[in-house]
Amino acid sequence: METRLTTAPIRTDWTRDEIASLFDLPFTELLFRAAEVHRAHHRPEEVQLCTLLSIKTGGCPEDCGYCSQSASAESGVKATKLMDVREVLQKAAQARDAGSQRFCMGAAWRNPKDRDMGKIVEIVSGVRAMGMETCMTLGMLTPEQAAQLKAAGLDYYNHNVDSGPEYYERVVSTRSYADRLDTLETVREAGINVCSGGIVGMGETRADRVGFVHTLATLERHPESVPINALVPVKGTVLGDMLADTPLAKIDDIEFVRTVAAARIAMPLSMVRLSAGRESMSEATQALCFLAGANSIFTGDKLLTAPNAGEDEDMAMLTRLGLKPMEGPEPMRAMVHEDDLASA
């Protein structure tokens, strides 16, 4: 199946009203438009497989209301030390052999200490040597740390904005929205690809979801990767306890698909990834997400500390849907490579 490539300019000047109008479209019209955008830039039969590993769990000093790894949460998650390099590389090899293209690693830190960077750099270099794409999420970074990660060969850095700027303040108090945007700028200036998305279903309104998409779609350069999570309400976390046994404990499936579709239209070249919360979605809902432009998933039975659909179940679903694992480079990275060749 061929991709109908388009030369239409990529917009970064979206207004909130324009994105709100996307959300307000009749559902079938929104999906039709999103599918058209998706097919203009991506191979619609391909889904990128990624694996996420927690390399340092729990004990985080941040107070993010959704997170079971916060030191202030009573979720039962025990703090651990940074994993041994060899153990991480073994997990990466297993993920590669299972078909994953990208290996993502997360550490529950506000920011990495300089003493940890040697080990982190060794991990990045080792995973890259396996031929896999690498992604790290370690909290806030200094320019010097970002430069170290770039030199080690890090492909992506994940730092989610979580929500729209107005609702964010109701979820996190230990780090500002500006702090998150500053970290994204630090990563971008270091020459590392950006992975940034958020969580829906935290009790926010549609206007907040509009604000979330608007923030990412108006960055000077769109994130190469946009993970969209559905909240997994964990007992002992602020949001898990607050939303327990309420209609807000799970976002409406159609609204979740609308969010995916709006992100696809506003950020045509980005990889839009179904992340946490997918294990509670039906195959029909996931199929609608793929139709709406999602083209990446996390495989394996765990996402950091949250449950996830297993690899066998995922492959069976993709087979039933006639989809296959992605093998080539993502459009934004391929475009940058072609520009480099042209200027050489």
PDB file of all heavy atoms in Angstrom, residues 13-37:
ATOM      1  N   ASP A  13       0.700  27.264  13.669  1.00  0.00           N
ATOM      2  CA  ASP A  13      -0.011  28.470  14.086  1.00  0.00           C
ATOM      3  C   ASP A  13      -1.488  28.202  14.381  1.00  0.00           C
ATOM      4  O   ASP A  13      -2.335  29.079  14.246  1.00  0.00           O
ATOM      5  CB  ASP A  13       0.111  29.557  13.014  1.00  0.00           C
ATOM      6  CG  ASP A  13      -0.500  29.131  11.672  1.00  0.00           C
ATOM      7  OD1 ASP A  13      -0.809  27.925  11.506  1.00  0.00           O
ATOM      8  OD2 ASP A  13      -0.667  30.008  10.788  1.00  0.00           O
ATOM      9  N   TRP A  14      -1.798  26.978  14.796  1.00  0.00           N
ATOM     10  CA  TRP A  14      -3.180  26.630  15.113  1.00  0.00           C
ATOM     11  C   TRP A  14      -3.717  27.514  16.242  1.00  0.00           C
ATOM     12  O   TRP A  14      -3.006  27.832  17.198  1.00  0.00           O
ATOM     13  CB  TRP A  14      -3.270  25.177  15.557  1.00  0.00           C
ATOM     14  CG  TRP A  14      -3.007  24.173  14.481  1.00  0.00           C
ATOM     15  CD1 TRP A  14      -1.795  23.643  14.124  1.00  0.00           C
ATOM     16  CD2 TRP A  14      -3.983  23.572  13.627  1.00  0.00           C
ATOM     17  NE1 TRP A  14      -1.956  22.748  13.090  1.00  0.00           N
ATOM     18  CE2 TRP A  14      -3.288  22.675  12.771  1.00  0.00           C
ATOM     19  CE3 TRP A  14      -5.365  23.683  13.504  1.00  0.00           C
ATOM     20  CZ2 TRP A  14      -3.940  21.910  11.811  1.00  0.00           C
ATOM     21  CZ3 TRP A  14      -6.018  22.924  12.551  1.00  0.00           C
ATOM     22  CH2 TRP A  14      -5.310  22.061  11.712  1.00  0.00           C
ATOM     23  N   THR A  15      -4.980  27.894  16.133  1.00  0.00           N
ATOM     24  CA  THR A  15      -5.638  28.593  17.231  1.00  0.00           C
ATOM     25  C   THR A  15      -6.451  27.584  18.034  1.00  0.00           C
ATOM     26  O   THR A  15      -6.792  26.497  17.546  1.00  0.00           O
ATOM     27  CB  THR A  15      -6.584  29.692  16.718  1.00  0.00           C
ATOM     28  OG1 THR A  15      -7.691  29.075  16.028  1.00  0.00           O
ATOM     29  CG2 THR A  15      -5.852  30.648  15.783  1.00  0.00           C
ATOM     30  N   ARG A  16      -6.777  27.954  19.248  1.00  0.00           N
ATOM     31  CA  ARG A  16      -7.605  27.064  20.069  1.00  0.00           C
ATOM     32  C   ARG A  16      -8.977  26.867  19.430  1.00  0.00           C
ATOM     33  O   ARG A  16      -9.537  25.770  19.478  1.00  0.00           O
ATOM     34  CB  ARG A  16      -7.753  27.623  21.479  1.00  0.00           C
ATOM     35  CG  ARG A  16      -6.537  27.414  22.352  1.00  0.00           C
ATOM     36  CD  ARG A  16      -6.926  27.475  23.807  1.00  0.00           C
ATOM     37  NE  ARG A  16      -5.776  27.248  24.676  1.00  0.00           N
ATOM     38  CZ  ARG A  16      -5.877  26.839  25.925  1.00  0.00           C
ATOM     39  NH1 ARG A  16      -7.062  26.594  26.445  1.00  0.00           N
ATOM     40  NH2 ARG A  16      -4.798  26.664  26.665  1.00  0.00           N
ATOM     41  N   ASP A  17      -9.509  27.928  18.839  1.00  0.00           N
ATOM     42  CA  ASP A  17     -10.828  27.816  18.215  1.00  0.00           C
ATOM     43  C   ASP A  17     -10.800  26.807  17.067  1.00  0.00           C
ATOM     44  O   ASP A  17     -11.758  26.045  16.879  1.00  0.00           O
ATOM     45  CB  ASP A  17     -11.289  29.178  17.699  1.00  0.00           C
ATOM     46  CG  ASP A  17     -11.748  30.102  18.821  1.00  0.00           C
ATOM     47  OD1 ASP A  17     -11.971  29.606  19.942  1.00  0.00           O
ATOM     48  OD2 ASP A  17     -11.871  31.322  18.576  1.00  0.00           O
ATOM     49  N   GLU A  18      -9.713  26.805  16.304  1.00  0.00           N
ATOM     50  CA  GLU A  18      -9.612  25.850  15.195  1.00  0.00           C
ATOM     51  C   GLU A  18      -9.566  24.417  15.702  1.00  0.00           C
ATOM     52  O   GLU A  18     -10.210  23.523  15.136  1.00  0.00           O
ATOM     53  CB  GLU A  18      -8.368  26.146  14.363  1.00  0.00           C
ATOM     54  CG  GLU A  18      -8.467  27.394  13.514  1.00  0.00           C
ATOM     55  CD  GLU A  18      -7.167  27.682  12.792  1.00  0.00           C
ATOM     56  OE1 GLU A  18      -6.094  27.613  13.417  1.00  0.00           O
ATOM     57  OE2 GLU A  18      -7.220  27.984  11.575  1.00  0.00           O
ATOM     58  N   ILE A  19      -8.807  24.176  16.752  1.00  0.00           N
ATOM     59  CA  ILE A  19      -8.727  22.822  17.291  1.00  0.00           C
ATOM     60  C   ILE A  19     -10.039  22.435  17.953  1.00  0.00           C
ATOM     61  O   ILE A  19     -10.507  21.292  17.833  1.00  0.00           O
ATOM     62  CB  ILE A  19      -7.541  22.717  18.274  1.00  0.00           C
ATOM     63  CG1 ILE A  19      -6.229  22.878  17.489  1.00  0.00           C
ATOM     64  CG2 ILE A  19      -7.553  21.373  19.017  1.00  0.00           C
ATOM     65  CD1 ILE A  19      -4.994  22.948  18.339  1.00  0.00           C
ATOM     66  N   ALA A  20     -10.681  23.385  18.625  1.00  0.00           N
ATOM     67  CA  ALA A  20     -11.991  23.102  19.217  1.00  0.00           C
ATOM     68  C   ALA A  20     -12.997  22.727  18.137  1.00  0.00           C
ATOM     69  O   ALA A  20     -13.843  21.843  18.344  1.00  0.00           O
ATOM     70  CB  ALA A  20     -12.484  24.320  20.004  1.00  0.00           C
ATOM     71  N   SER A  21     -12.905  23.372  16.975  1.00  0.00           N
ATOM     72  CA  SER A  21     -13.841  23.061  15.888  1.00  0.00           C
ATOM     73  C   SER A  21     -13.618  21.651  15.358  1.00  0.00           C
ATOM     74  O   SER A  21     -14.564  21.011  14.882  1.00  0.00           O
ATOM     75  CB  SER A  21     -13.705  24.082  14.763  1.00  0.00           C
ATOM     76  OG  SER A  21     -12.468  23.937  14.076  1.00  0.00           O
ATOM     77  N   LEU A  22     -12.376  21.155  15.443  1.00  0.00           N
ATOM     78  CA  LEU A  22     -12.119  19.763  15.057  1.00  0.00           C
ATOM     79  C   LEU A  22     -12.839  18.813  16.016  1.00  0.00           C
ATOM     80  O   LEU A  22     -13.515  17.873  15.596  1.00  0.00           O
ATOM     81  CB  LEU A  22     -10.617  19.473  15.062  1.00  0.00           C
ATOM     82  CG  LEU A  22      -9.761  20.197  14.034  1.00  0.00           C
ATOM     83  CD1 LEU A  22      -8.282  19.848  14.237  1.00  0.00           C
ATOM     84  CD2 LEU A  22     -10.191  19.845  12.607  1.00  0.00           C
ATOM     85  N   PHE A  23     -12.674  19.051  17.305  1.00  0.00           N
ATOM     86  CA  PHE A  23     -13.343  18.211  18.307  1.00  0.00           C
ATOM     87  C   PHE A  23     -14.858  18.215  18.117  1.00  0.00           C
ATOM     88  O   PHE A  23     -15.524  17.215  18.408  1.00  0.00           O
ATOM     89  CB  PHE A  23     -13.013  18.711  19.714  1.00  0.00           C
ATOM     90  CG  PHE A  23     -11.751  18.142  20.308  1.00  0.00           C
ATOM     91  CD1 PHE A  23     -10.534  18.763  20.089  1.00  0.00           C
ATOM     92  CD2 PHE A  23     -11.794  17.011  21.100  1.00  0.00           C
ATOM     93  CE1 PHE A  23      -9.358  18.251  20.653  1.00  0.00           C
ATOM     94  CE2 PHE A  23     -10.635  16.488  21.671  1.00  0.00           C
ATOM     95  CZ  PHE A  23      -9.408  17.114  21.440  1.00  0.00           C
ATOM     96  N   ASP A  24     -15.399  19.352  17.642  1.00  0.00           N
ATOM     97  CA  ASP A  24     -16.853  19.497  17.537  1.00  0.00           C
ATOM     98  C   ASP A  24     -17.431  18.908  16.256  1.00  0.00           C
ATOM     99  O   ASP A  24     -18.660  18.864  16.094  1.00  0.00           O
ATOM    100  CB  ASP A  24     -17.225  20.981  17.614  1.00  0.00           C
ATOM    101  CG  ASP A  24     -16.992  21.575  19.003  1.00  0.00           C
ATOM    102  OD1 ASP A  24     -16.907  20.796  19.972  1.00  0.00           O
ATOM    103  OD2 ASP A  24     -16.876  22.812  19.101  1.00  0.00           O
ATOM    104  N   LEU A  25     -16.578  18.463  15.334  1.00  0.00           N
ATOM    105  CA  LEU A  25     -17.086  17.881  14.094  1.00  0.00           C
ATOM    106  C   LEU A  25     -17.905  16.623  14.369  1.00  0.00           C
ATOM    107  O   LEU A  25     -17.672  15.926  15.366  1.00  0.00           O
ATOM    108  CB  LEU A  25     -15.918  17.509  13.171  1.00  0.00           C
ATOM    109  CG  LEU A  25     -15.181  18.634  12.456  1.00  0.00           C
ATOM    110  CD1 LEU A  25     -13.913  18.086  11.799  1.00  0.00           C
ATOM    111  CD2 LEU A  25     -16.089  19.285  11.417  1.00  0.00           C
ATOM    112  N   PRO A  26     -18.862  16.303  13.488  1.00  0.00           N
ATOM    113  CA  PRO A  26     -19.504  14.989  13.597  1.00  0.00           C
ATOM    114  C   PRO A  26     -18.432  13.901  13.606  1.00  0.00           C
ATOM    115  O   PRO A  26     -17.424  14.002  12.881  1.00  0.00           O
ATOM    116  CB  PRO A  26     -20.371  14.925  12.339  1.00  0.00           C
ATOM    117  CG  PRO A  26     -20.639  16.355  11.990  1.00  0.00           C
ATOM    118  CD  PRO A  26     -19.406  17.105  12.378  1.00  0.00           C
ATOM    119  N   PHE A  27     -18.609  12.891  14.420  1.00  0.00           N
ATOM    120  CA  PHE A  27     -17.556  11.903  14.649  1.00  0.00           C
ATOM    121  C   PHE A  27     -17.049  11.286  13.345  1.00  0.00           C
ATOM    122  O   PHE A  27     -15.838  11.155  13.134  1.00  0.00           O
ATOM    123  CB  PHE A  27     -18.085  10.806  15.581  1.00  0.00           C
ATOM    124  CG  PHE A  27     -17.051   9.802  15.992  1.00  0.00           C
ATOM    125  CD1 PHE A  27     -15.986  10.164  16.800  1.00  0.00           C
ATOM    126  CD2 PHE A  27     -17.148   8.483  15.576  1.00  0.00           C
ATOM    127  CE1 PHE A  27     -15.031   9.242  17.189  1.00  0.00           C
ATOM    128  CE2 PHE A  27     -16.191   7.547  15.959  1.00  0.00           C
ATOM    129  CZ  PHE A  27     -15.130   7.929  16.766  1.00  0.00           C
ATOM    130  N   THR A  28     -17.954  10.912  12.459  1.00  0.00           N
ATOM    131  CA  THR A  28     -17.525  10.269  11.211  1.00  0.00           C
ATOM    132  C   THR A  28     -16.750  11.233  10.319  1.00  0.00           C
ATOM    133  O   THR A  28     -15.798  10.839   9.639  1.00  0.00           O
ATOM    134  CB  THR A  28     -18.729   9.709  10.447  1.00  0.00           C
ATOM    135  OG1 THR A  28     -19.723  10.747  10.288  1.00  0.00           O
ATOM    136  CG2 THR A  28     -19.359   8.537  11.203  1.00  0.00           C
ATOM    137  N   GLU A  29     -17.137  12.503  10.321  1.00  0.00           N
ATOM    138  CA  GLU A  29     -16.413  13.499   9.522  1.00  0.00           C
ATOM    139  C   GLU A  29     -15.013  13.720  10.086  1.00  0.00           C
ATOM    140  O   GLU A  29     -14.032  13.832   9.333  1.00  0.00           O
ATOM    141  CB  GLU A  29     -17.185  14.820   9.509  1.00  0.00           C
ATOM    142  CG  GLU A  29     -16.490  15.961   8.774  1.00  0.00           C
ATOM    143  CD  GLU A  29     -16.319  15.719   7.283  1.00  0.00           C
ATOM    144  OE1 GLU A  29     -17.028  14.847   6.732  1.00  0.00           O
ATOM    145  OE2 GLU A  29     -15.470  16.396   6.665  1.00  0.00           O
ATOM    146  N   LEU A  30     -14.899  13.772  11.416  1.00  0.00           N
ATOM    147  CA  LEU A  30     -13.598  13.952  12.047  1.00  0.00           C
ATOM    148  C   LEU A  30     -12.670  12.791  11.705  1.00  0.00           C
ATOM    149  O   LEU A  30     -11.500  12.995  11.347  1.00  0.00           O
ATOM    150  CB  LEU A  30     -13.764  14.065  13.564  1.00  0.00           C
ATOM    151  CG  LEU A  30     -12.479  14.142  14.396  1.00  0.00           C
ATOM    152  CD1 LEU A  30     -11.629  15.339  13.993  1.00  0.00           C
ATOM    153  CD2 LEU A  30     -12.817  14.204  15.881  1.00  0.00           C
ATOM    154  N   LEU A  31     -13.182  11.565  11.783  1.00  0.00           N
ATOM    155  CA  LEU A  31     -12.354  10.402  11.463  1.00  0.00           C
ATOM    156  C   LEU A  31     -11.952  10.396  10.000  1.00  0.00           C
ATOM    157  O   LEU A  31     -10.820  10.021   9.657  1.00  0.00           O
ATOM    158  CB  LEU A  31     -13.096   9.106  11.813  1.00  0.00           C
ATOM    159  CG  LEU A  31     -12.634   8.451  13.128  1.00  0.00           C
ATOM    160  CD1 LEU A  31     -12.909   9.388  14.300  1.00  0.00           C
ATOM    161  CD2 LEU A  31     -13.324   7.124  13.345  1.00  0.00           C
ATOM    162  N   PHE A  32     -12.862  10.808   9.119  1.00  0.00           N
ATOM    163  CA  PHE A  32     -12.553  10.857   7.692  1.00  0.00           C
ATOM    164  C   PHE A  32     -11.406  11.825   7.423  1.00  0.00           C
ATOM    165  O   PHE A  32     -10.450  11.504   6.718  1.00  0.00           O
ATOM    166  CB  PHE A  32     -13.801  11.262   6.911  1.00  0.00           C
ATOM    167  CG  PHE A  32     -13.567  11.395   5.432  1.00  0.00           C
ATOM    168  CD1 PHE A  32     -13.461  10.270   4.625  1.00  0.00           C
ATOM    169  CD2 PHE A  32     -13.440  12.643   4.852  1.00  0.00           C
ATOM    170  CE1 PHE A  32     -13.231  10.398   3.255  1.00  0.00           C
ATOM    171  CE2 PHE A  32     -13.212  12.778   3.491  1.00  0.00           C
ATOM    172  CZ  PHE A  32     -13.102  11.652   2.689  1.00  0.00           C
ATOM    173  N   ARG A  33     -11.484  13.013   8.029  1.00  0.00           N
ATOM    174  CA  ARG A  33     -10.436  14.007   7.816  1.00  0.00           C
ATOM    175  C   ARG A  33      -9.105  13.538   8.409  1.00  0.00           C
ATOM    176  O   ARG A  33      -8.039  13.719   7.801  1.00  0.00           O
ATOM    177  CB  ARG A  33     -10.837  15.342   8.445  1.00  0.00           C
ATOM    178  CG  ARG A  33     -12.041  16.000   7.787  1.00  0.00           C
ATOM    179  CD  ARG A  33     -12.221  17.425   8.291  1.00  0.00           C
ATOM    180  NE  ARG A  33     -13.483  17.999   7.845  1.00  0.00           N
ATOM    181  CZ  ARG A  33     -13.854  19.243   8.088  1.00  0.00           C
ATOM    182  NH1 ARG A  33     -13.044  20.045   8.772  1.00  0.00           N
ATOM    183  NH2 ARG A  33     -15.021  19.696   7.667  1.00  0.00           N
ATOM    184  N   ALA A  34      -9.159  12.948   9.596  1.00  0.00           N
ATOM    185  CA  ALA A  34      -7.931  12.465  10.226  1.00  0.00           C
ATOM    186  C   ALA A  34      -7.297  11.352   9.403  1.00  0.00           C
ATOM    187  O   ALA A  34      -6.071  11.300   9.242  1.00  0.00           O
ATOM    188  CB  ALA A  34      -8.233  11.975  11.643  1.00  0.00           C
ATOM    189  N   ALA A  35      -8.127  10.460   8.871  1.00  0.00           N
ATOM    190  CA  ALA A  35      -7.606   9.356   8.054  1.00  0.00           C
ATOM    191  C   ALA A  35      -6.957   9.890   6.783  1.00  0.00           C
ATOM    192  O   ALA A  35      -5.927   9.366   6.331  1.00  0.00           O
ATOM    193  CB  ALA A  35      -8.737   8.377   7.716  1.00  0.00           C
ATOM    194  N   GLU A  36      -7.548  10.926   6.189  1.00  0.00           N
ATOM    195  CA  GLU A  36      -6.946  11.526   4.999  1.00  0.00           C
ATOM    196  C   GLU A  36      -5.561  12.103   5.309  1.00  0.00           C
ATOM    197  O   GLU A  36      -4.601  11.904   4.552  1.00  0.00           O
ATOM    198  CB  GLU A  36      -7.856  12.637   4.457  1.00  0.00           C
ATOM    199  CG  GLU A  36      -9.043  12.141   3.662  1.00  0.00           C
ATOM    200  CD  GLU A  36      -9.685  13.267   2.867  1.00  0.00           C
ATOM    201  OE1 GLU A  36      -9.859  14.371   3.448  1.00  0.00           O
ATOM    202  OE2 GLU A  36     -10.008  13.071   1.688  1.00  0.00           O
ATOM    203  N   VAL A  37      -5.460  12.817   6.422  1.00  0.00           N
ATOM    204  CA  VAL A  37      -4.166  13.392   6.814  1.00  0.00           C
ATOM    205  C   VAL A  37      -3.164  12.281   7.079  1.00  0.00           C
ATOM    206  O   VAL A  37      -2.006  12.342   6.651  1.00  0.00           O
ATOM    207  CB  VAL A  37      -4.338  14.287   8.064  1.00  0.00           C
ATOM    208  CG1 VAL A  37      -2.979  14.711   8.608  1.00  0.00           C
ATOM    209  CG2 VAL A  37      -5.172  15.514   7.732  1.00  0.00           C
TER     210      VAL A  37
END
